[in-house]
Amino acid sequence: MIWLSWRQFRWQALTAAVTIVLAGAWLLYFGFDVRDAHSAARSACRTGSGCHQAMAEFEARYRETMYFVAAGLGLGLALLGTFWGAPMVARELEAGTHRLVWNQSITRRRWLTTKLLLTALAAMSTTAVISALLTWAARPVDEASANRFDTIIFGTRNIAPIGYALFAVTLGTVVGLLVRRTLPAIAITLVAFIAVQFAVPNLVRPHLLPAKTATMAMPTEVIDQARNLGGIGGGSVIGGITLPDEPGAWISSTSPLLTADGHPLSASRFNRCLNNPPMTGAHGTFGNTAPCLGKLNLHLKITYQPSGRYWSFQLLETALYVLLSALLAAFALRRVRHHLT
């Protein structure tokens, strides 16, 4: 049975090997390029001038590339489910070739278990290698940005992608078992996997551990360290804040800018500082706007996860996907034994 499953899987295995070689070669090249740029940026810190700007420019140089690579890995995980998991059983049921195996000494459960284990282990191994190389290549950028909890970045580093790969293959297998037709199973698996990958970071991950809250004063220098002021919907909002005592913390929510009495800063006062601030000759990120807001004695209320919980979140989310995969696999084994004719 193992030999038969391997023969059926040989083209997928060849694809995985080629992917590892090509992706690995590029990630090695990319990793050394990142380290060369990081060394150049750190040289500015050793001279004692322009350190913050040099590191900000280094992080900005690779920011878009990091997101493109993360999107590519996410797409690859989706493809594992759609082209490895979904057709694995659906193709056999659609063509009727499963009857040949079932009329031998192989039980249905052993048939499905062997195929699922072989495919899942191959998917997890391929993902583990690429994820490890990407984590190594991107480490200087991740350290400079102090943003390891980013919704997209988090799912492409360390062990979390391995759990995603296992879930993708198991999900595709179950969908194929239920639908029994290859093309519909591929389409349903793709939509379902993307939906889960969207729901978990936004709806589940923030609640895996209880969040902490803090009040943060907003003087001029702190405002200048933010990434953006204002928003599409208007209002006195500020984004891209970093906690001074918790660099790398995951800030899950921030209040609007609050005055000393705890009320939101009025839109008129905020827009006045944003659009027509008094001229002070400031040269920070937001120019004269930062000193104008800094004089108002503002603060924020922040909900966050400490940076020290990063590995706890990695382990918990990976365990969540392993549990979901185990439940799906148990359902598939029961289905193939009792309900599939």
Side-chain angles (χ1 to χ4, degrees):
M1 183 61 205
I2 296 176
W3 174 247
L4 175 61
S5 298
W6 166 250
R7 283 185 58 84
Q8 292 178 321
F9 188 72
R10 63 186 184 277
W11 290 111
Q12 291 93 321
L14 178 61
T15 301
V18 171
T19 301
I20 289 175
V21 170
L22 294 179
W26 185 85
L27 286 171
L28 287 172
Y29 164 79
F30 179 68
F32 287 118
D33 181 66
V34 166
R35 279 155 177 76
D36 289 341
H38 188 237
S39 297
R42 290 182 61 185
S43 65
C45 296
R46 287 192 291 268
T47 61
S49 61
C51 179
H52 178 75
Q53 182 178 357
M55 295 305 294
E57 290 176 352
F58 163 73
E59 190 268 334
R61 174 180 175 182
Y62 292 101
R63 186 184 303 145
E64 289 188 4
T65 304
M66 288 292 107
Y67 283 115
F68 276 121
V69 174
L73 180 55
L75 176 61
L77 292 169
L79 294 179
L80 288 177
T82 54
F83 292 107
W84 285 20
M88 182 172 57
V89 175
R91 183 173 52 228
E92 300 267 13
L93 298 177
E94 192 173 21
T97 54
H98 63 289
R99 298 189 184 94
L100 177 63
V101 179
W102 289 0
N103 286 325
Q104 309 300 319
S105 60
I106 303 299
T107 65
R108 298 182 181 190
R109 287 186 174 182
R110 183 181 173 187
W111 170 76
L112 180 58
T113 300
T114 303
K115 293 174 72 67
L116 181 56
L117 280 177
L118 179 65
T119 307
L121 288 174
M124 293 167 66
S125 301
T126 303
T127 304
V129 173
I130 295 177
S131 175
L133 288 171
L134 176 56
T135 302
W136 167 81
R139 182 172 291 116
V141 181
D142 292 343
E143 291 175 354
S145 64
N147 196 24
R148 295 191 300 171
F149 281 103
D150 181 90
T151 301
I152 298 177
I153 298 299
F154 180 89
T156 62
R157 305 288 193 270
N158 298 300
I159 62 173
I162 303 174
Y164 302 164
L166 174 62
F167 175 74
V169 171
T170 312
L171 175 66
T173 302
V174 171
V175 171
L177 186 62
L178 294 173
V179 177
R180 304 192 188 191
R181 295 177 59 193
T182 303
L183 291 180
I186 288 175
I188 294 172
T189 300
L190 180 61
V191 173
F193 182 76
I194 292 174
V196 173
Q197 288 291 84
F198 176 81
V200 170
N202 294 284
L203 302 178
V204 179
R205 186 185 299 164
H207 306 289
L208 290 176
L209 290 173
K212 292 188 174 183
T213 58
T215 299
M216 182 176 176
M218 298 302 294
T220 300
E221 58 272 17
V222 174
I223 293 174
D224 259 330
Q225 292 174 4
R227 290 188 178 178
N228 59 275
L229 284 172
I232 298 177
S236 55
V237 296
I238 186 169
I241 293 295
T242 301
L243 284 170
D245 299 330
E246 279 283 354
W250 173 23
I251 298 178
S252 54
S253 66
T254 59
S255 68
L257 288 167
L258 303 174
T259 58
D261 58 5
H263 293 92
L265 180 66
S266 66
S268 59
R269 296 183 70 183
F270 178 75
N271 290 331
R272 187 159 55 247
C273 282
L274 192 65
N275 301 320
N276 298 296
M279 302 302 292
T280 60
H283 298 289
T285 305
F286 299 107
N288 297 309
T289 296
C292 179
L293 292 172
K295 294 178 181 179
L296 300 179
N297 191 23
L298 302 173
H299 66 277
L300 290 175
K301 289 185 178 179
I302 295 173
T303 303
Y304 71 99
Q305 296 285 353
S307 58
R309 293 181 177 178
Y310 174 80
W311 272 105
S312 297
F313 274 91
Q314 280 274 325
L315 292 169
L316 285 171
E317 188 158 320
T318 303
L320 172 63
Y321 276 92
V322 171
L323 176 61
L324 290 175
S325 301
L327 293 174
L328 287 172
F331 171 80
L333 291 174
R334 179 177 175 80
R335 177 83 181 181
V336 76
R337 174 66 179 84
H338 295 287
H339 300 283
L340 193 63
T341 60

PDB file of all heavy atoms in Angstrom, residues 121-147:
ATOM      1  N   LEU A 121       2.806  14.382   5.516  1.00  0.00           N
ATOM      2  CA  LEU A 121       4.215  14.464   5.897  1.00  0.00           C
ATOM      3  C   LEU A 121       5.050  15.169   4.833  1.00  0.00           C
ATOM      4  O   LEU A 121       5.944  15.960   5.157  1.00  0.00           O
ATOM      5  CB  LEU A 121       4.762  13.056   6.163  1.00  0.00           C
ATOM      6  CG  LEU A 121       4.276  12.376   7.447  1.00  0.00           C
ATOM      7  CD1 LEU A 121       4.775  10.937   7.509  1.00  0.00           C
ATOM      8  CD2 LEU A 121       4.743  13.150   8.669  1.00  0.00           C
ATOM      9  N   ALA A 122       4.752  14.911   3.570  1.00  0.00           N
ATOM     10  CA  ALA A 122       5.476  15.588   2.502  1.00  0.00           C
ATOM     11  C   ALA A 122       5.194  17.084   2.508  1.00  0.00           C
ATOM     12  O   ALA A 122       6.100  17.915   2.353  1.00  0.00           O
ATOM     13  CB  ALA A 122       5.096  14.984   1.149  1.00  0.00           C
ATOM     14  N   ALA A 123       3.918  17.449   2.706  1.00  0.00           N
ATOM     15  CA  ALA A 123       3.548  18.866   2.748  1.00  0.00           C
ATOM     16  C   ALA A 123       4.193  19.565   3.930  1.00  0.00           C
ATOM     17  O   ALA A 123       4.718  20.684   3.814  1.00  0.00           O
ATOM     18  CB  ALA A 123       2.032  19.003   2.809  1.00  0.00           C
ATOM     19  N   MET A 124       4.170  18.916   5.096  1.00  0.00           N
ATOM     20  CA  MET A 124       4.750  19.522   6.286  1.00  0.00           C
ATOM     21  C   MET A 124       6.269  19.647   6.162  1.00  0.00           C
ATOM     22  O   MET A 124       6.850  20.662   6.584  1.00  0.00           O
ATOM     23  CB  MET A 124       4.382  18.689   7.518  1.00  0.00           C
ATOM     24  CG  MET A 124       2.896  18.712   7.855  1.00  0.00           C
ATOM     25  SD  MET A 124       2.430  17.450   9.062  1.00  0.00           S
ATOM     26  CE  MET A 124       3.300  18.038  10.515  1.00  0.00           C
ATOM     27  N   SER A 125       6.917  18.644   5.600  1.00  0.00           N
ATOM     28  CA  SER A 125       8.375  18.700   5.441  1.00  0.00           C
ATOM     29  C   SER A 125       8.786  19.804   4.480  1.00  0.00           C
ATOM     30  O   SER A 125       9.724  20.569   4.749  1.00  0.00           O
ATOM     31  CB  SER A 125       8.898  17.349   4.934  1.00  0.00           C
ATOM     32  OG  SER A 125       8.574  16.304   5.830  1.00  0.00           O
ATOM     33  N   THR A 126       8.074  19.905   3.362  1.00  0.00           N
ATOM     34  CA  THR A 126       8.377  20.967   2.400  1.00  0.00           C
ATOM     35  C   THR A 126       8.181  22.340   3.024  1.00  0.00           C
ATOM     36  O   THR A 126       9.028  23.236   2.889  1.00  0.00           O
ATOM     37  CB  THR A 126       7.469  20.829   1.162  1.00  0.00           C
ATOM     38  OG1 THR A 126       7.646  19.529   0.586  1.00  0.00           O
ATOM     39  CG2 THR A 126       7.796  21.893   0.123  1.00  0.00           C
ATOM     40  N   THR A 127       7.072  22.507   3.723  1.00  0.00           N
ATOM     41  CA  THR A 127       6.782  23.789   4.363  1.00  0.00           C
ATOM     42  C   THR A 127       7.789  24.110   5.453  1.00  0.00           C
ATOM     43  O   THR A 127       8.209  25.264   5.610  1.00  0.00           O
ATOM     44  CB  THR A 127       5.364  23.769   4.953  1.00  0.00           C
ATOM     45  OG1 THR A 127       4.426  23.450   3.922  1.00  0.00           O
ATOM     46  CG2 THR A 127       5.003  25.127   5.549  1.00  0.00           C
ATOM     47  N   ALA A 128       8.199  23.101   6.215  1.00  0.00           N
ATOM     48  CA  ALA A 128       9.157  23.326   7.295  1.00  0.00           C
ATOM     49  C   ALA A 128      10.489  23.847   6.769  1.00  0.00           C
ATOM     50  O   ALA A 128      11.087  24.772   7.337  1.00  0.00           O
ATOM     51  CB  ALA A 128       9.367  22.029   8.084  1.00  0.00           C
ATOM     52  N   VAL A 129      10.964  23.270   5.671  1.00  0.00           N
ATOM     53  CA  VAL A 129      12.244  23.709   5.102  1.00  0.00           C
ATOM     54  C   VAL A 129      12.147  25.156   4.611  1.00  0.00           C
ATOM     55  O   VAL A 129      13.008  25.996   4.912  1.00  0.00           O
ATOM     56  CB  VAL A 129      12.666  22.776   3.948  1.00  0.00           C
ATOM     57  CG1 VAL A 129      13.895  23.326   3.233  1.00  0.00           C
ATOM     58  CG2 VAL A 129      12.954  21.380   4.477  1.00  0.00           C
ATOM     59  N   ILE A 130      11.093  25.454   3.852  1.00  0.00           N
ATOM     60  CA  ILE A 130      10.949  26.808   3.304  1.00  0.00           C
ATOM     61  C   ILE A 130      10.718  27.816   4.421  1.00  0.00           C
ATOM     62  O   ILE A 130      11.281  28.922   4.409  1.00  0.00           O
ATOM     63  CB  ILE A 130       9.800  26.834   2.280  1.00  0.00           C
ATOM     64  CG1 ILE A 130      10.164  25.957   1.079  1.00  0.00           C
ATOM     65  CG2 ILE A 130       9.508  28.262   1.830  1.00  0.00           C
ATOM     66  CD1 ILE A 130       9.080  25.845   0.047  1.00  0.00           C
ATOM     67  N   SER A 131       9.903  27.457   5.407  1.00  0.00           N
ATOM     68  CA  SER A 131       9.645  28.373   6.516  1.00  0.00           C
ATOM     69  C   SER A 131      10.919  28.646   7.313  1.00  0.00           C
ATOM     70  O   SER A 131      11.171  29.781   7.730  1.00  0.00           O
ATOM     71  CB  SER A 131       8.573  27.783   7.434  1.00  0.00           C
ATOM     72  OG  SER A 131       8.387  28.581   8.582  1.00  0.00           O
ATOM     73  N   ALA A 132      11.740  27.609   7.542  1.00  0.00           N
ATOM     74  CA  ALA A 132      12.989  27.798   8.284  1.00  0.00           C
ATOM     75  C   ALA A 132      13.937  28.722   7.527  1.00  0.00           C
ATOM     76  O   ALA A 132      14.567  29.617   8.125  1.00  0.00           O
ATOM     77  CB  ALA A 132      13.649  26.446   8.530  1.00  0.00           C
ATOM     78  N   LEU A 133      14.039  28.535   6.215  1.00  0.00           N
ATOM     79  CA  LEU A 133      14.910  29.407   5.426  1.00  0.00           C
ATOM     80  C   LEU A 133      14.391  30.844   5.397  1.00  0.00           C
ATOM     81  O   LEU A 133      15.172  31.796   5.497  1.00  0.00           O
ATOM     82  CB  LEU A 133      15.027  28.865   3.996  1.00  0.00           C
ATOM     83  CG  LEU A 133      15.867  27.601   3.837  1.00  0.00           C
ATOM     84  CD1 LEU A 133      15.722  27.036   2.426  1.00  0.00           C
ATOM     85  CD2 LEU A 133      17.342  27.896   4.136  1.00  0.00           C
ATOM     86  N   LEU A 134      13.069  31.010   5.291  1.00  0.00           N
ATOM     87  CA  LEU A 134      12.495  32.351   5.282  1.00  0.00           C
ATOM     88  C   LEU A 134      12.680  33.033   6.634  1.00  0.00           C
ATOM     89  O   LEU A 134      12.995  34.230   6.697  1.00  0.00           O
ATOM     90  CB  LEU A 134      11.008  32.278   4.923  1.00  0.00           C
ATOM     91  CG  LEU A 134      10.225  33.598   4.956  1.00  0.00           C
ATOM     92  CD1 LEU A 134      10.871  34.632   4.047  1.00  0.00           C
ATOM     93  CD2 LEU A 134       8.775  33.371   4.567  1.00  0.00           C
ATOM     94  N   THR A 135      12.495  32.286   7.720  1.00  0.00           N
ATOM     95  CA  THR A 135      12.698  32.857   9.053  1.00  0.00           C
ATOM     96  C   THR A 135      14.134  33.326   9.229  1.00  0.00           C
ATOM     97  O   THR A 135      14.386  34.410   9.773  1.00  0.00           O
ATOM     98  CB  THR A 135      12.350  31.816  10.131  1.00  0.00           C
ATOM     99  OG1 THR A 135      10.985  31.397   9.960  1.00  0.00           O
ATOM    100  CG2 THR A 135      12.518  32.396  11.528  1.00  0.00           C
ATOM    101  N   TRP A 136      15.076  32.517   8.748  1.00  0.00           N
ATOM    102  CA  TRP A 136      16.498  32.905   8.831  1.00  0.00           C
ATOM    103  C   TRP A 136      16.772  34.131   7.970  1.00  0.00           C
ATOM    104  O   TRP A 136      17.427  35.085   8.411  1.00  0.00           O
ATOM    105  CB  TRP A 136      17.376  31.744   8.372  1.00  0.00           C
ATOM    106  CG  TRP A 136      18.797  32.152   8.137  1.00  0.00           C
ATOM    107  CD1 TRP A 136      19.775  32.299   9.082  1.00  0.00           C
ATOM    108  CD2 TRP A 136      19.392  32.490   6.880  1.00  0.00           C
ATOM    109  NE1 TRP A 136      20.944  32.715   8.491  1.00  0.00           N
ATOM    110  CE2 TRP A 136      20.730  32.840   7.138  1.00  0.00           C
ATOM    111  CE3 TRP A 136      18.914  32.532   5.572  1.00  0.00           C
ATOM    112  CZ2 TRP A 136      21.601  33.226   6.127  1.00  0.00           C
ATOM    113  CZ3 TRP A 136      19.780  32.915   4.562  1.00  0.00           C
ATOM    114  CH2 TRP A 136      21.107  33.258   4.847  1.00  0.00           C
ATOM    115  N   ALA A 137      16.282  34.129   6.727  1.00  0.00           N
ATOM    116  CA  ALA A 137      16.566  35.227   5.804  1.00  0.00           C
ATOM    117  C   ALA A 137      15.988  36.544   6.293  1.00  0.00           C
ATOM    118  O   ALA A 137      16.607  37.608   6.145  1.00  0.00           O
ATOM    119  CB  ALA A 137      16.019  34.895   4.410  1.00  0.00           C
ATOM    120  N   ALA A 138      14.809  36.496   6.894  1.00  0.00           N
ATOM    121  CA  ALA A 138      14.096  37.725   7.266  1.00  0.00           C
ATOM    122  C   ALA A 138      14.397  38.194   8.681  1.00  0.00           C
ATOM    123  O   ALA A 138      13.900  39.252   9.077  1.00  0.00           O
ATOM    124  CB  ALA A 138      12.589  37.501   7.117  1.00  0.00           C
ATOM    125  N   ARG A 139      15.224  37.455   9.433  1.00  0.00           N
ATOM    126  CA  ARG A 139      15.425  37.809  10.846  1.00  0.00           C
ATOM    127  C   ARG A 139      15.904  39.245  11.054  1.00  0.00           C
ATOM    128  O   ARG A 139      15.366  39.959  11.914  1.00  0.00           O
ATOM    129  CB  ARG A 139      16.385  36.824  11.503  1.00  0.00           C
ATOM    130  CG  ARG A 139      16.593  37.112  12.993  1.00  0.00           C
ATOM    131  CD  ARG A 139      17.394  36.041  13.687  1.00  0.00           C
ATOM    132  NE  ARG A 139      16.625  34.804  13.775  1.00  0.00           N
ATOM    133  CZ  ARG A 139      16.977  33.670  13.168  1.00  0.00           C
ATOM    134  NH1 ARG A 139      18.065  33.626  12.416  1.00  0.00           N
ATOM    135  NH2 ARG A 139      16.236  32.591  13.300  1.00  0.00           N
ATOM    136  N   PRO A 140      16.903  39.761  10.324  1.00  0.00           N
ATOM    137  CA  PRO A 140      17.320  41.155  10.552  1.00  0.00           C
ATOM    138  C   PRO A 140      16.200  42.161  10.295  1.00  0.00           C
ATOM    139  O   PRO A 140      16.082  43.161  11.004  1.00  0.00           O
ATOM    140  CB  PRO A 140      18.481  41.340   9.563  1.00  0.00           C
ATOM    141  CG  PRO A 140      19.008  39.970   9.325  1.00  0.00           C
ATOM    142  CD  PRO A 140      17.803  39.083   9.361  1.00  0.00           C
ATOM    143  N   VAL A 141      15.381  41.908   9.268  1.00  0.00           N
ATOM    144  CA  VAL A 141      14.270  42.819   8.972  1.00  0.00           C
ATOM    145  C   VAL A 141      13.221  42.735  10.072  1.00  0.00           C
ATOM    146  O   VAL A 141      12.674  43.755  10.515  1.00  0.00           O
ATOM    147  CB  VAL A 141      13.641  42.497   7.608  1.00  0.00           C
ATOM    148  CG1 VAL A 141      12.508  43.464   7.287  1.00  0.00           C
ATOM    149  CG2 VAL A 141      14.688  42.544   6.511  1.00  0.00           C
ATOM    150  N   ASP A 142      12.929  41.525  10.538  1.00  0.00           N
ATOM    151  CA  ASP A 142      11.946  41.359  11.612  1.00  0.00           C
ATOM    152  C   ASP A 142      12.408  42.051  12.886  1.00  0.00           C
ATOM    153  O   ASP A 142      11.605  42.666  13.608  1.00  0.00           O
ATOM    154  CB  ASP A 142      11.709  39.873  11.876  1.00  0.00           C
ATOM    155  CG  ASP A 142      10.999  39.178  10.725  1.00  0.00           C
ATOM    156  OD1 ASP A 142      10.407  39.885   9.885  1.00  0.00           O
ATOM    157  OD2 ASP A 142      11.039  37.936  10.656  1.00  0.00           O
ATOM    158  N   GLU A 143      13.697  41.957  13.183  1.00  0.00           N
ATOM    159  CA  GLU A 143      14.219  42.610  14.384  1.00  0.00           C
ATOM    160  C   GLU A 143      14.170  44.128  14.250  1.00  0.00           C
ATOM    161  O   GLU A 143      13.882  44.838  15.216  1.00  0.00           O
ATOM    162  CB  GLU A 143      15.644  42.147  14.646  1.00  0.00           C
ATOM    163  CG  GLU A 143      15.746  40.683  15.066  1.00  0.00           C
ATOM    164  CD  GLU A 143      17.175  40.208  15.202  1.00  0.00           C
ATOM    165  OE1 GLU A 143      18.093  40.990  14.847  1.00  0.00           O
ATOM    166  OE2 GLU A 143      17.385  39.067  15.669  1.00  0.00           O
ATOM    167  N   ALA A 144      14.439  44.630  13.041  1.00  0.00           N
ATOM    168  CA  ALA A 144      14.412  46.081  12.836  1.00  0.00           C
ATOM    169  C   ALA A 144      12.997  46.631  12.904  1.00  0.00           C
ATOM    170  O   ALA A 144      12.760  47.712  13.453  1.00  0.00           O
ATOM    171  CB  ALA A 144      15.053  46.435  11.492  1.00  0.00           C
ATOM    172  N   SER A 145      12.033  45.891  12.354  1.00  0.00           N
ATOM    173  CA  SER A 145      10.653  46.369  12.343  1.00  0.00           C
ATOM    174  C   SER A 145       9.940  46.113  13.662  1.00  0.00           C
ATOM    175  O   SER A 145       8.948  46.781  13.967  1.00  0.00           O
ATOM    176  CB  SER A 145       9.870  45.700  11.210  1.00  0.00           C
ATOM    177  OG  SER A 145       9.787  44.299  11.418  1.00  0.00           O
ATOM    178  N   ALA A 146      10.455  45.151  14.455  1.00  0.00           N
ATOM    179  CA  ALA A 146       9.822  44.795  15.736  1.00  0.00           C
ATOM    180  C   ALA A 146       8.327  44.553  15.554  1.00  0.00           C
ATOM    181  O   ALA A 146       7.500  45.033  16.323  1.00  0.00           O
ATOM    182  CB  ALA A 146      10.073  45.880  16.776  1.00  0.00           C
ATOM    183  N   ASN A 147       7.995  43.788  14.502  1.00  0.00           N
ATOM    184  CA  ASN A 147       6.590  43.601  14.147  1.00  0.00           C
ATOM    185  C   ASN A 147       6.313  42.134  13.837  1.00  0.00           C
ATOM    186  O   ASN A 147       5.658  41.796  12.856  1.00  0.00           O
ATOM    187  CB  ASN A 147       6.244  44.479  12.943  1.00  0.00           C
ATOM    188  CG  ASN A 147       4.750  44.636  12.758  1.00  0.00           C
ATOM    189  OD1 ASN A 147       3.988  44.492  13.702  1.00  0.00           O
ATOM    190  ND2 ASN A 147       4.329  44.931  11.549  1.00  0.00           N
TER     191      ASN A 147
END
